[in-house]
Amino acid sequence: MRSIFIIATCALLSTGAWAQVVFNSVSVRTRNGQIHSYAIDRVDSITFDTVRSVQANKWYHMLENPGIADYLRDFEYDPSDYSYHRLFDYRGEPYLDKRQDWPYGVTLGDTTYYNLIPGRTYTLQSLENGVLTPITIHTLGQLRMIRAEGIDNVRDLGGWPTSSGKHIRYGLLYRGVEMNTAYSPVPDYAQSAHCLTEKDRRILREDLGIRAELDLRKYEENPSKGYSALGRDIVYANYNINYGEISSAENQAMLLSCFRFIAEQIGAGRPTYIHCIWGADRTGLLCMLLEGLLGISQSNLDKDYELTSFTGNTRYRNETSYQSVLKKIVAMDGRTLQEKFRNCWKGFGATDEELDKFIEMMTE
C-alpha cells in the first residue's frame, strides 16, 4: 500500500464512462517527472499538493482497503457447500495492515477525511496559499467500514445489494464491538479496541449521527448498567440473546424485541448502533436475520459474518453456531431465501405490516 503525493494534473479521463465504472488504476506524475500507474485499491491515501490536480478532472477514491475489496468481489460462496471458507486468501499477506478493519482516507493538505460514504460526491476544502478552495471527490466501493481508535469491527450495514435490485441504505444501522468493557476475559491486546475514546464518541455521535444503542450483552457485562456509553441522551435498550439457536420461545421473544426496538428507532430518525462484546456472534446472528429479511444473498450473508475476521477476531462461515441457524432458516417454507427469512420473523411474532415497513425504511 502506498501514499501518493500528487503535484500535477492526474491522468484521469473525465468522460461519462469513467463515472459509471470502477476503474482499476490511476496514473500520476511524481516530483521527478516520472509517471507511475497504481491499482486504485492499493493506494492508502492521496495527498493533493495543488487544487489544479483535482479540479481539472473528476477524482475517484476507493474507500475499501484492498483485502476487503478483493474479498467482497473476487468470488461467490457456494450456498450448498459449507465445507470451506476463503478468508486466508484475503486476510494477511499481501494485504497485511495494522488495522485491516479500517477504511482508507482522503488526505487534502494536512487533513484526512475518514468514514465517508461510498458512491457519494463530496465537496472537501483544501487550503492553498491561505485560501480554502473546494475540491470534488467521488467515493468508490460498497462496504462502509468505520475508523475509530478505541473500538474495532465497526461497520455500516448499508451498501449490500438486495434481491429486489435495491441496496440497504447507509447511515441507519451500524454494528461493532462494545464501547465500554467490564468483561475481564477480554485479553489485554484487545482492551484498546473495546473502550470508546472521546474522539470516537464525537465520531459516532456527530459524524455518524448515532442516537440509539442496542446492547446485546448480559447485564453484568456492561459497566454502565442501563445507559449508553455514548451518553445518557442516547436511547438505550439491552436484550441478551443466545446466538446459537432460534428455536426457544425465550430467544425468539428477545429477537422480536430487538427487531421492534430497531424499527422504532429507524422510524423515528435515530441511527442505531448494534453490539455485543466482540460484535461477532450475538451481533452476527441479529444482523444476519435482518439482512436476510432485506434480501441479501446467502453468499453475502456469509461474507458479512466473516468480515469480523479482518480485525483478527476470526469467525468462519462454517462455524457450528452460525451454520446451524442458517440451515434452519434455509429449510423453512418460502420460494426465495428472503421469503424464508420473512417467515422466520413471522414465526417470532412479527407482522407483515411491521416487516414491510422495515424493508421500506431500510432499502433504496
Side-chain angles (χ1 to χ4, degrees):
M1 292 171 290
R2 303 171 174 87
S3 292
I4 300 177
F5 193 74
I6 297 176
I7 63 170
T9 301
C10 302
L12 300 180
L13 296 177
S14 57
T15 63
W18 284 89
Q20 297 169 19
V21 298
V22 177
F23 56 81
N24 295 320
S25 64
V26 56
S27 297
V28 298
R29 187 184 302 275
T30 55
R31 289 185 183 276
N32 60 9
Q34 294 181 340
I35 296 177
H36 300 275
S37 291
Y38 300 95
I40 191 65
D41 62 359
R42 296 296 190 275
V43 177
D44 184 280
S45 63
I46 291 85
T47 300
F48 298 99
D49 185 55
T50 68
V51 172
R52 292 186 303 277
S53 62
V54 286
Q55 277 187 335
N57 301 287
K58 295 180 179 178
W59 178 257
Y60 296 81
H61 185 66
M62 173 63 75
L63 300 179
E64 295 165 346
N65 67 43
I68 287 175
D70 290 349
Y71 170 77
L72 291 178
R73 280 173 280 279
D74 273 2
F75 68 96
E76 292 290 317
Y77 273 130
D78 181 352
S80 66
D81 184 1
Y82 274 78
S83 65
Y84 72 100
H85 65 81
R86 296 194 58 183
L87 270 176
F88 294 140
D89 294 339
Y90 300 93
R91 195 191 74 182
E93 298 292 351
Y95 304 112
L96 193 60
D97 202 351
K98 183 178 180 181
R99 289 288 298 270
Q100 293 184 77
D101 61 312
W102 276 353
Y104 282 176
V106 177
T107 301
L108 300 176
D110 59 357
T111 302
T112 301
Y113 297 85
Y114 290 107
N115 305 327
L116 303 181
I117 298 176
R120 297 291 193 271
T121 297
Y122 288 90
T123 300
L124 306 177
Q125 299 294 322
S126 178
L127 185 64
E128 183 180 25
N129 298 324
V131 179
L132 282 173
T133 305
I135 292 178
T136 300
I137 302 292
H138 304 268
T139 55
L140 301 176
Q142 169 196 300
L143 185 66
R144 187 189 183 200
M145 304 293 285
I146 303 302
R147 179 184 174 111
E149 301 289 339
I151 55 177
D152 60 18
N153 197 27
V154 183
R155 56 187 182 269
D156 193 327
L157 262 67
W160 292 102
T162 72
S163 56
S164 65
K166 297 182 179 182
H167 288 77
I168 299 180
R169 295 179 188 270
Y170 292 106
L172 298 181
L173 285 180
Y174 299 89
R175 59 176 292 177
V177 301
E178 61 188 348
M179 295 180 284
N180 55 346
T181 182
Y183 191 50
S184 57
V186 174
D188 291 342
Y189 75 83
Q191 289 288 349
S192 62
H194 287 245
C195 298
L196 199 71
T197 68
E198 285 303 314
K199 182 178 180 181
D200 296 336
R201 185 174 284 104
R202 290 194 299 271
I203 289 171
L204 270 61
R205 288 181 59 101
E206 299 172 17
D207 296 350
L208 305 184
I210 292 173
R211 289 296 177 268
E213 175 185 340
L214 177 57
D215 188 345
L216 303 178
R217 297 175 296 181
K218 298 176 182 177
Y219 181 79
E220 60 268 22
E221 293 171 338
N222 177 11
S224 298
K225 304 299 185 209
Y227 66 90
S228 173
L230 289 175
R232 291 182 178 270
D233 60 326
I234 300 298
V235 180
Y236 177 84
N238 181 203
Y239 298 105
N240 178 238
I241 63 174
N242 183 341
Y243 64 86
E245 59 90 16
I246 55 171
S247 300
S248 72
E250 180 181 7
N251 211 37
Q252 290 179 358
M254 285 287 187
L255 288 165
L256 181 60
S257 295
C258 290
F259 172 79
R260 287 176 170 164
F261 175 80
I262 292 169
E264 179 183 357
Q265 304 317 310
I266 300 305
R270 291 188 284 265
T272 302
Y273 185 82
I274 305 169
H275 73 93
C276 47
I277 291 178
W278 297 99
D281 300 311
R282 289 169 283 190
T283 302
L285 170 62
L286 179 57
C287 289
M288 182 257 282
L289 291 170
L290 295 173
E291 290 166 339
L293 173 64
L294 295 172
I296 305 306
S297 72
Q298 193 163 331
S299 175
N300 283 338
L301 291 176
D302 294 346
K303 287 181 179 181
D304 190 37
Y305 179 73
E306 289 190 336
L307 279 170
T308 291
S309 303
F310 286 87
T311 67
N313 186 21
T314 305
R315 293 295 186 277
Y316 305 123
R317 69 190 285 263
N318 48 7
E319 286 191 6
T320 302
S321 58
Y322 172 79
Q323 189 180 357
S324 62
V325 171
L326 189 55
K327 279 184 175 180
K328 289 179 182 178
I329 297 171
V330 170
M332 291 182 177
D333 291 336
R335 295 171 301 167
T336 66
L337 184 63
Q338 185 176 17
E339 286 185 6
K340 294 173 186 289
F341 273 96
R342 185 185 186 93
N343 288 333
C344 178
W345 279 108
K346 289 175 70 173
F348 296 166
T351 67
D352 283 317
E353 182 180 5
E354 288 178 305
L355 298 174
D356 288 339
K357 183 178 179 181
F358 181 73
I359 293 171
E360 181 181 0
M361 290 190 299
M362 287 296 301
T363 57
E364 61 181 355

